[in-house]
């Protein structure tokens, strides 16, 4: 009996436990758990500023390699960070030497004729193009972190330098002063580049968008090509301006008696030859060397032809006598006082920034292809030091060349030693054969430059930009038109202006969207992107896709109120229930300032007048902290802040039914 009584008690206890469990389950179903938005942990203000500064200037944690290392190891790592040649030089071998030797010889055959031609673009004597193909590559080989970049003069920077320098000093009337200003601009270009790297401000060069660079480069290529018509056609009196109207006017005014058929014949013949070799190099990748050595081959053949025929006495214009010997020192020629100093700083900063943009873009491209990391700030410092040394050794602004870097890569370069090989070849040319260039026709130099800059016109990329983003295409077109129809400075100014406009536009007119429920789910998405999404009766759900700052806070408030008015108008016309709740999805809102909070307070007051309750879903930690600090959470009530839109709708819908 006792045993039976105990069994009944246990059974009764189990029944009670089961009843409690069932009761708790029913309660859980009736009152589901709704997670709330948590307040972020309050951090020390100094730590917040330090963390933000570190993320801005030191996102790559440059000292990570030094942590936990002994003193001797830190010293070696420090030397390697300054001179990357120490790191890759330890493992250098004959296989790498073979690759660098072939690559160096190949890019030297390309850099010599291009160096002479690009110096003429900068309105400098041809030897300065060769000087700039000797010292800077040597310096970069010791300091640079990219193993693929080929250093030397480039078309766009040369044209930019020539145009800006000529606006200050006439290169024909005062060639010595003009050259001094070029060295001064190069010095300050180096200062600018090194400073950006040292202070880790490399993010500034990212303000030029890809689209504007495509347009600017294309416009510069057209401008460069048009200016080569002087040498190509043998025109003596030619406009110093670079815009298409001035150039074509000079061409047609000189026609036909001012044209030289001898120069045209030489230029056209070698241009066709260069284009054919370029086509062969593109079509058959293994024959890339054909197009790589074609410019030097053209230079040699044209020079030999003029030499044996004495064509320079019969109307063929030739390159002026190139001074023999290596770079003379030029430190004493720099301007450090007067108005020319100001001009040198201005030109140097602009040229240095453009040179950086081109070189960093090239370096990142090849680093991605070869799967290694390129430290942008170190790269800027190495380019800066390179140009500083160049400015005191008779060089003008140099940077990485895309065409020569591509050839360097395809030729099988293994390290930056290919630049050393190239520099040695240029040294031999300067010491031994520069007098021969007196017989080099200008027409062949023009043909070499025209064939080189054609690759800067990327029509395929422009078409892709048009298909992808019309605003980007507008930026691309603006930079192109400004460069072609006015000058490279105006094209650059337009490019920078449009780039900044593209950055600022989302902050002044941020995208916003009305959300609806995807059927059979608890997901809420933009009704424009998902037409099947349905609006929740009596609830307007809006998403703001940007931070809310003083520049856009009024727009956001007015945009939301306009939508609310439109919705109410449509509902009244259909005799449907009015809007009772406005839910703002704030997950994309990464930050909000005091103006934004003030605008939200005004929005709440406007909603109260319309008898509409404001509800917020998923504010981020920074936003939540500021809303709490400003007492805005007290204003709308903590119970009206939810983790998800689904939770907000679930809470609002029953209240709406009760009111109805």
């Amino acid at each position: 009996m006792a045993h039976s009584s105990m069994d009944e008690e246990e059974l009764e206890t189990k029944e009670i436990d089961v009843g409690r469990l069932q009761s708790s389950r029913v309660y859980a179903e009736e009152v589901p758990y709704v997670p709330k938005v948590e307040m972020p942990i309050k951090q020390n203000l100094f730590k917040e500023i330090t963390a933000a500064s570190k993320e801005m200037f030191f996102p790559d944690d440059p000292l990570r390699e030094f942590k936990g290392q002994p003193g001797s190891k830190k010293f070696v790592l420090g030397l390697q960070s300054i001179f990357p040649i120490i790191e890759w030089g330890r493992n250098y071998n004959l296989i790498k030497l073979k690759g660098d030797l072939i690559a160096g010889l190949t890019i030297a055959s390309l850099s010599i004729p291009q160096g002479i031609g690009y110096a003429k673009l900068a309105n400098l004597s041809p030897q300065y193009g060769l000087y700039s193909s000797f010292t800077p590559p040597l310096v970069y080989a010791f300091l640079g972190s990219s193993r693929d970049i080929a250093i030397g003069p480039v078309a766009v920077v040369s044209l930019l330098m020539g145009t800006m320098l000529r606006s200050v000093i006439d290169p024909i009337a005062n060639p010595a002063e003009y050259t001094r200003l070029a060295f001064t601009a190069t010095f300050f270009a180096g200062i600018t580049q090194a400073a950006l790297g040292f202070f880790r401000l490399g993010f500034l060069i990212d303000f030029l968008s890809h689209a504007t660079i495509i347009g600017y480069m294309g416009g510069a290529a057209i401008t460069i090509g048009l200016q080569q018509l002087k040498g190509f056609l043998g025109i003596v009196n030619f406009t110093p301006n670079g815009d298409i109207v001035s150039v074509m006017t000079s061409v047609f005014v000189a026609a036909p008696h001012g044209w030289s058929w001898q120069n045209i014949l030489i230029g056209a013949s070698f241009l066709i030859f260069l284009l054919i070799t370029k086509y062969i190099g593109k079509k058959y990748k293994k024959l890339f060397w054909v197009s790589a050595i074609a410019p030097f081959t053209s230079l040699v053949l044209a020079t030999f032809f003029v030499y044996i025929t004495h064509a320079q006495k019969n109307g063929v214009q030739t390159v002026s006598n190139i001074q023999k010997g290596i770079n003379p020192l030029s430190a004493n020629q720099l301007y450090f006082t007067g108005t020319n100093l100001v001009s040198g700083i201005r030109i140097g900063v602009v040229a240095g920034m453009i040179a950086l943009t081109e070189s960093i873009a090239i370096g990142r491209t090849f680093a991605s292809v070869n799967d290694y990391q390129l430290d942008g700030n170190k790269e800027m410092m190495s380019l800066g030091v390179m140009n500083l040394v160049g400015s005191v050794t008779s060089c003008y602004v140099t940077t990485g060349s895309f065409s020569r870097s591509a050839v360097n890569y395809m030729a099988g370069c293994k390290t930056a030693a290919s630049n050393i090989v190239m520099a040695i070849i240029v040294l031999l040319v300067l010491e031994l054969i520069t007098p021969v260039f007196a017989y080099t026709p200008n027409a062949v130099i023009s043909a070499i430059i025209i064939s080189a800059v054609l690759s800067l016109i990327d029509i395929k990329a422009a078409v892709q930009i048009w298909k992808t983003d019309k605003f980007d295409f507008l930026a691309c077109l603006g930079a192109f038109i400004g460069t072609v129809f006015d000058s490279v400075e105006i094209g650059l100014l337009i490019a920078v202006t449009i780039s900044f406009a593209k950055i600022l536009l989302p902050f002044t007119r941020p995208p916003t969207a009305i959300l609806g429920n995807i059927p059979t789910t608890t997901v809420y998405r933009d009704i424009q992107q998902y037409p099947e999404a349905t609006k929740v009766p009596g609830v307007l759900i809006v998403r703001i896709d940007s931070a809310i700052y003083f520049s856009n806070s009024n727009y956001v408030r007015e945009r939301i109120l306009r939508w609310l008015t439109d919705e109410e108008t449509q509902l009244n016309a259909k005799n449907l229930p009015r809007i009772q709740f406005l839910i703002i999805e704030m997950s994309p809102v990464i930050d909000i300032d005091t103006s934004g909070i003030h605008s939200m307070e005004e929005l709440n007051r406007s909603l109260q007048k319309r008898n509409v309750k404001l509800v917020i879903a998923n504010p981020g930690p920074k936003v939540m902290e500021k809303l709490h600090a400003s007492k805005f959470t007290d204003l709308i009530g903590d119970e009206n802040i939810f983790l998800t839109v689904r939770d907000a709708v679930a809470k609002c819908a029953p209240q709406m039914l009760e009111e109805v």
Side-chain angles (χ1 to χ4, degrees), residues 207-209 212-213 216 354 471-472 474-476 478-479 482 488-506:
F207 280 91
L208 276 176
S209 67
T212 55
I213 290 174
Y216 176 69
I354 293 299
F471 188 89
D472 266 357
L474 180 64
C476 176
V488 287
E489 302 106 303
I490 295 300
L492 180 61
L493 179 62
I494 292 174
V496 172
T497 302
I498 295 177
S499 294
F500 272 100
K502 184 175 175 60
I503 295 169
L504 295 175
L505 189 60

Side-chain angles (χ1 to χ4, degrees), residues 2 52 55 62 68-69 75 121 130 138 196 218 270 290 373 388 447 451 471 485 488 504 526 531 554 620:
E55 190 62 28
Q69 299 290 346
F75 178 74
L121 273 180
L130 295 178
L138 279 178
L196 288 174
F270 283 103
V290 174
Q373 295 296 318
L388 282 172
S451 66
F471 188 89
F485 286 93
V488 287
L504 295 175
D526 184 355
N554 287 329

Side-chain angles (χ1 to χ4, degrees), residues 248-315:
M248 296 313 295
T249 300
S250 289
V251 169
F252 288 115
V253 166
H257 303 294
W259 295 5
S260 169
W261 68 267
Q262 298 97 327
N263 287 279
I264 295 173
L265 180 62
I266 293 172
S269 300
F270 283 103
L271 180 59
I272 292 171
F273 169 70
L274 290 166
L275 293 178
I276 290 173
T277 57
K278 184 171 284 191
Y279 173 77
I280 293 172
K282 281 187 176 181
K283 188 172 180 65
Y284 306 101
K285 297 298 183 184
K286 291 184 179 180
L287 297 178
F288 72 91
W289 56 270
V290 174
S291 61
I293 66 171
F296 189 73
T297 304
S298 301
L299 194 73
V300 171
L301 291 175
T303 302
F304 180 71
F305 171 77
V306 171
Y307 177 75
I308 63 173
T309 61
H310 302 288
Q312 76 276 16
K313 297 179 181 179
N314 297 303

Side-chain angles (χ1 to χ4, degrees), residues 388-418:
L388 282 172
V389 174
S391 69
V392 298
T393 53
S394 299
C395 302
Y396 73 98
V397 178
T398 54
T399 188
S401 163
F402 187 82
S403 59
R404 293 195 291 275
S405 298
V407 169
N408 194 33
Y409 167 73
M410 290 187 289
C413 72
K414 302 300 179 184
T415 67
S418 59

Side-chain angles (χ1 to χ4, degrees), residues 561-580:
L561 290 175
R562 283 200 305 272
W563 263 334
L564 183 61
T565 301
D566 292 343
E567 286 292 312
E568 289 176 339
T569 302
Q570 293 177 17
L571 293 174
N572 289 335
K574 298 177 182 178
N575 293 320
L576 294 174
R578 67 178 184 86
I579 298 294
Q580 300 178 45

